[in-house]
């Protein structure tokens, strides 16, 4: 029996079958989580459907108050939640706290965003307006790198817009969202937010379920395509936030010693398990050697270990599958004879899924480490000497999530930004995100948008109403 329960219709629901959750810092089982049965999925969908009419009938400000109360509940339990998140995800405790507080911030911010009514025509003859109505029951499916924050990127707008929900976290990191489900019982009306967990079979059952109106998915591009194919059967709406292979372009006028640290964290925060981590770093040849030295020197000062321990800045890779994928790319680099500026040697006898920070010295553009999304702490540092060439290389990817340009000359950086085929471009920073700022992947990095007004409207369906004065004789 699991020690955690799902939340369906505001009640604790356990399951005879369970999935085992591993602490990635030790490789040791941490807890059992329920493996939701098909009947329980039906119950969760029915609960969300039943709760929908009353929830949508509430005023915006009433729903906003509920979101704020939920935010306060997360914030007042941040210590417990952060410890749990670190134990299942691996990230340092401070970052786990930051993630939980981020989820609270998203909830309270969404409470105040106004969904506009568009006036199309307002004449003596007719008034025409377009309203944005909730869709119904939304399923959120989230990944293991930010199990809490990325779930609330879906929960906050979906509920704000008047939908009810089923949320399914990753089987690798189900515990913190299950605990949050428990904490929010009695805060969010029964059935409005149902949290279910399960193994690999559950996701496809959710996307195929006829009682669900929309799927909002964050995960890999390969899975995103399966989600879209499954949703096509009954034309469910989809929002897909998928993989990325973000390029950073570093111009020769930067202050190398200052940006080295920022560039390091751009690539390696959360042990590089961020969809918008810098995954290819293009450095102008004039400063390549100096930057390579500075970033490698800095890398050697950063401590990797169990995120629950003080002073640890980088945790393990989150799961064995991902660990093996990164090791495979590392082995390919070795087989091709690439040089490592730092790292490159995995201590196989060490418990947990640790891969040292590895920086590869100018590998060929078509090598796997440049072309694939490793989603782990291995970064190719690449040389360029011509802006047209580097823009072409940055854009030569099926992905188009985000990118960054680093320069003292804002105009030069903006000119490059305008040529990048990505949904976000940062200049002299990365990963600045906000509930008020659109986040969308170009090309195979996604479909639709999260955050900002556009992201909120993805949880609505437009309805145009025209009123013509009644004719009288
Ligand atoms: P994943 O695609 O393996 O899994 C994501 C979620 O989908 C999990 O909850 C999983 O159980 C579920 N799932 C798996 N197969 C399914 C199916 N057939 N139908 C429905 N659901 C299914 O991704 P992951 O390994 O958890 O996350 C890493 C990937 O996510 C990386 O590619 C990363 O770039 C991407 N990511 C993207 C963003 C973004 O906002 N664009 C954010 C974070 C992560």
């Amino acid at each position: 029996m699991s020690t955690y329960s799902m939340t369906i219709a505001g009640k604790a629901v356990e399951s005879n079958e369970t999935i085992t959750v591993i602490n990635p810092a030790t490789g040791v089982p941490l807890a059992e989580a329920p493996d939701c049965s098909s009947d329980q999925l039906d119950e969760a969908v029915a609960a969300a459907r039943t709760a929908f009419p009353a929830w949508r009938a509430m005023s915006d400000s009433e729903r906003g108050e509920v979101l704020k109360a939920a935010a306060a509940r997360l914030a007042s339990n941040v210590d417990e939640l952060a410890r749990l998140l670190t134990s299942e995800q691996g990230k340092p405790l401070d970052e786990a706290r930051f993630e939980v507080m981020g989820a609270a911030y998203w909830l309270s911010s969404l409470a105040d965003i106004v969904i506009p009514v568009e006036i199309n025509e307002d004449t003596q003859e007719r008034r025409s307006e377009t309203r944005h109505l909730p869709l119904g029951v939304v399923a959120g499916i989230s990944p293991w790198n930010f199990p809490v924050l990325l779930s609330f990127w879906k929960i906050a707008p979906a509920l704000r817009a008047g939908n009810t929900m089923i949320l399914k976290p990753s089987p690798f990191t189900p515990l913190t969202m299950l605990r949050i489900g428990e904490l929010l019982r009695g805060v969010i009306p029964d059935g409005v937010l149902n949290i279910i967990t399960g193994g690999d079979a559950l996701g496809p059952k959710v996307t195929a379920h006829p009682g669900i109106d929309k799927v909002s998915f964050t995960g890999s591009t390969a899975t995103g395509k399966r989600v879209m194919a499954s949703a096509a059967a009954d034309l469910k709406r989809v929002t897909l936030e998928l993989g990325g292979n973000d390029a950073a372009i570093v111009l020769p006028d930067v202050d190398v010693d200052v940006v080295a640290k920022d560039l390091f964290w751009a690539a390696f925060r959360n042990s590089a398990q961020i969809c918008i981590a810098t995954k290819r770093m293009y450095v102008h040849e004039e400063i390549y050697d100096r930057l390579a030295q500075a970033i490698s020197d800095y890398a050697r000062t950063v401590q990797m270990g169990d995120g629950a321990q003080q002073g640890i800045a980088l945790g393990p890779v989150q799961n064995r599958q991902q660990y093996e994928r990164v090791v495979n790319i590392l082995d390919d680099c070795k087989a091709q004879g690439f040089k490592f500026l730092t790292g490159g040697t995995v201590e196989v006898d060490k418990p947990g899924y640790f891969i040292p920070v590895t920086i590869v010295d100018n590998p060929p553009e078509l090598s796997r480490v440049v072309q694939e999304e490793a989603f782990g702490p291995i970064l190719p540092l690449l040389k360029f000497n011509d802006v047209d060439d580097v823009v072409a290389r940055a854009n030569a990817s099926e992905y188009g999530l985000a990118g960054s340009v680093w320069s003292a000359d804002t105009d030069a950086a903006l000119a490059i930004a305008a040529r990048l085929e990505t949904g976000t471009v940062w200049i002299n920073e990365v990963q600045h995100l906000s509930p008020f700022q659109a986040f969308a992947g170009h090309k195979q990095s996604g479909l639709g948008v999260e955050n900002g007004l556009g992201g909120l409207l993805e949880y609505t369906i437009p309805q145009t109403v025209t009123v013509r004065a009644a004719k009288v004789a």
Side-chain angles (χ1 to χ4, degrees), residues 141-142 144-145 168 171 203 217-220 223 241-243 275 373:
I141 300 179
S142 51
W144 47 257
N145 59 340
K168 189 202 85 62
F217 170 84
T218 301
S220 62
T223 310
E241 290 292 355
L242 309 176
C275 54
E373 182 189 38

Side-chain angles (χ1 to χ4, degrees), residues 84 102 205 279:
L84 183 58
K205 283 190 209 164
K279 292 174 184 141

